[in-house]
Amino acid sequence: MNGTLAIGIGNPDCGDDAAGRLAVRRLRALDPALEVIELGGEPAALIDCLARAGRAYLVDACRAGQAAGTVTRFDAGQAALPADMLTCSTHGLGLAQALELARALGSLPRCCVVYAIEGRDFAPGAPLSPAVAAAIEQVALRIA
């Protein structure tokens, strides 16, 4: 495959950490032709997906000290993500580090856009924050 791929990252059972996966589910409803993948954050699986994409859109929750629901867009194909933005992860190796590993391996598509949605509550069993739910819709519409 060398087409467009949308990847949602997160844990659907940990409150706002579900944001990435919920965003790509919404995107699937908006554009059924788009290939959508949900990941729990495993770096090897992410790198494998990126290696076969011509263009990739990634959505993940973050903790960067902004208001819940704040959306930040990064062009990861052109530059590394800020070291302090997506290093904190419930998935082990942070997204920023996984993307740099993909870049070093030659697996990062030239067009790789990351949407980070600021979360508030990442506790197991927590509900999705209303601000994050609104941001999910916003991100899905941007990608579509």
Side-chain angles (χ1 to χ4, degrees), residues 19-104:
R21 293 175 79 151
L22 294 172
V24 297
R25 287 178 191 172
R26 177 66 179 123
L27 185 57
R28 181 181 291 132
L30 293 170
D31 185 357
L34 181 64
E35 184 176 359
V36 170
I37 295 177
E38 295 182 39
L39 297 175
E42 306 80 16
L46 175 60
I47 292 168
D48 181 56
C49 290
L50 292 172
R52 60 189 185 88
R55 174 182 306 224
Y57 294 94
L58 289 79
V59 186
D60 197 6
C62 71
R63 291 185 205 183
Q66 301 177 61
T70 299
V71 175
T72 307
R73 181 188 183 278
F74 299 100
D75 186 346
Q78 298 302 310
L81 274 64
D84 61 344
M85 185 70 180
L86 290 160
T87 55
C88 214
S89 173
T90 61
H91 327 300
L93 186 67
L95 179 58
Q97 294 90 349
L99 290 174
E100 288 312 300
L101 181 55
R103 188 186 316 277

